[in-house]
Amino acid sequence: MNNRHLSRRQWVAAATAGMATLWMSAPAWAQSWPDRPIKLVVPYPAGGAADQTARLIAGPLGERLKTTVVVDNRPGGGGSIGAAAVAKAAPDGYTLLLDATGFTVNPALLPKMPFDPVKDLQPVSLVMQVPMLLVVPAGSPHKTVADLIQAARSQPGKLSFASAGNGSAQHLTGELFKQGHKLFITHIPYRGGAPALSDLMGGQVDMMFSAMPASLPLVRSGKLRALAVTAPQRAELVGAIPTVAETGLKGFAAQEWNGIWAPTGTPPDVMGRLETELRAVMALPEVRQRLAANGAVAMGTPRADFGKFVQTEMAQWARVIQQAGIKLD
């Protein structure tokens, strides 16, 4: 029948049928997802902390989704290159991003971002957090955080703290500590955490904020001394060590973390399924135990909570970077 001759009743019936068809086809498409491998992009080199987290969860996540989750390392640009690739990928649930603390630091640190981290990517879940330890050489005269603060105030600029480089999590945490106590402690950037810890053990620098997986073995072997932990609460593996907040900086919290995002526009049903399965993976005893062995805590937060967490992190590190005048080399 020619459309010009359709009655009003026929128009309504046709439109209703079309809408019903669309409504039924969306769940059918979502139910077929995934029907091919999923790519989990890690914007850092293989072997690093983020890569290890991705490989830990890729297997069980693939099992739950009944597909293969392939870890794809795309390092460069402080994590921005791999993240941009995911931001520009098709929003079909087959390309995901596992990123780290740098995701919330780069917007304030990089003059130009190749993507908009807020508009171009949707948070799926925070998967793990790992606190840092404030560590000093084993032979340091500073036995407590109060000792460090007193020394820094009595001789401004004489104490130094090491980091893995300008803009690194260790650097920003050190600046947050300095700003909170209004201290002048000289920052010594290194090309990576390993050489920084090496010089710290040798006494070339006075202190460092270092993630527990890297620093805890050195504390246990007696090469470093831990004075505080940066988490909001004490860490189980070092329960006797106070938090930075307990030593005088109320509300202080700085942890390295990993989370997962999908390109904006990914269908809600797929986002919901991803969140559900990721949270289930992070609740698996074997996953939690593997992370806990290195001082990390398995998370698995709802999408909304992860989104709020990201916003809070971005705001905190933007303030620290601006106040400290941090620039990349």
Side-chain angles (χ1 to χ4, degrees):
M1 182 182 294
N2 191 303
N3 286 346
R4 290 181 304 169
H5 300 120
L6 285 175
S7 68
R8 179 179 176 82
R9 181 177 295 177
Q10 289 172 318
W11 268 109
V12 172
T16 302
M19 291 175 65
T21 299
L22 287 173
W23 181 84
M24 289 186 292
S25 64
W29 180 88
Q31 288 170 8
S32 68
W33 177 90
D35 59 6
R36 65 178 189 269
I38 294 171
K39 185 184 298 181
L40 181 56
V41 175
V42 178
Y44 306 102
D51 176 69
Q52 291 175 20
T53 301
R55 295 181 189 279
L56 174 63
I57 67 178
L61 180 60
E63 290 176 5
R64 294 191 65 87
L65 292 173
K66 295 181 173 54
T67 189
T68 302
V69 177
V70 180
V71 176
D72 181 11
N73 297 93
R74 296 194 189 185
S80 63
I81 292 176
V86 177
K88 297 171 184 176
D92 53 13
Y94 290 99
T95 305
L96 305 175
L97 171 70
L98 186 143
D99 210 333
T101 316
F103 184 93
T104 55
V105 172
N106 286 339
L109 202 57
L110 300 178
K112 285 188 177 181
M113 290 281 289
F115 69 102
D116 187 321
V118 176
K119 294 181 179 179
D120 296 340
L121 291 165
Q122 295 175 274
V124 179
S125 183
L126 177 67
V127 295
M128 78 87 165
Q129 287 182 302
V130 58
M132 285 179 268
L133 292 176
L134 170 53
V135 288
V136 297
S140 171
H142 312 302
K143 303 293 196 299
T144 65
V145 174
D147 291 344
L148 276 178
I149 294 171
Q150 183 178 3
R153 285 182 174 155
S154 63
Q155 295 180 294
K158 183 178 180 181
L159 287 187
S160 60
F161 79 97
S163 82
N166 285 326
S168 64
Q170 301 97 329
H171 179 198
L172 296 180
T173 304
E175 294 294 344
L176 183 64
F177 179 81
K178 285 170 53 180
Q179 292 170 13
H181 282 297
K182 297 180 173 56
L183 302 174
F184 176 21
I185 303 174
T186 302
H187 172 229
I188 308 296
Y190 287 80
R191 293 187 178 276
L197 285 168
S198 178
D199 270 11
L200 179 66
M201 287 186 287
Q204 280 79 24
V205 284
D206 297 297
M207 56 182 281
M208 181 178 178
F209 287 92
S210 174
M212 282 185 65
S215 54
L216 185 56
L218 300 174
V219 171
R220 286 173 168 169
S221 65
K223 297 176 181 177
L224 293 176
R225 180 189 303 136
L227 302 186
V229 63
T230 63
Q233 60 284 321
R234 295 193 180 195
E236 185 176 344
L237 292 182
V238 287
I241 304 299
T243 66
V244 174
E246 287 179 288
T247 65
L249 279 184
K250 186 177 180 181
F252 185 100
Q255 301 188 79
E256 295 193 47
W257 50 267
N258 294 158
I260 291 183
W261 287 259
T264 295
T266 300
D269 289 337
V270 173
M271 290 292 293
R273 177 91 186 279
L274 279 170
E275 177 190 330
T276 297
E277 302 303 351
L278 271 169
R279 295 182 68 186
V281 167
M282 302 319 297
L284 293 172
E286 58 268 31
V287 172
R288 300 182 74 85
Q289 289 165 9
R290 285 276 300 278
L291 289 171
N294 288 321
V297 179
M299 300 301 293
T301 60
R303 282 175 284 165
D305 291 350
F306 183 35
K308 292 175 183 176
F309 172 83
V310 168
Q311 292 174 358
T312 300
E313 286 277 295
M314 282 184 172
Q316 171 172 273
W317 298 128
R319 287 193 300 269
V320 170
I321 289 167
Q322 182 178 21
Q323 186 172 333
I326 298 173
K327 305 289 184 184
L328 291 181
D329 296 332

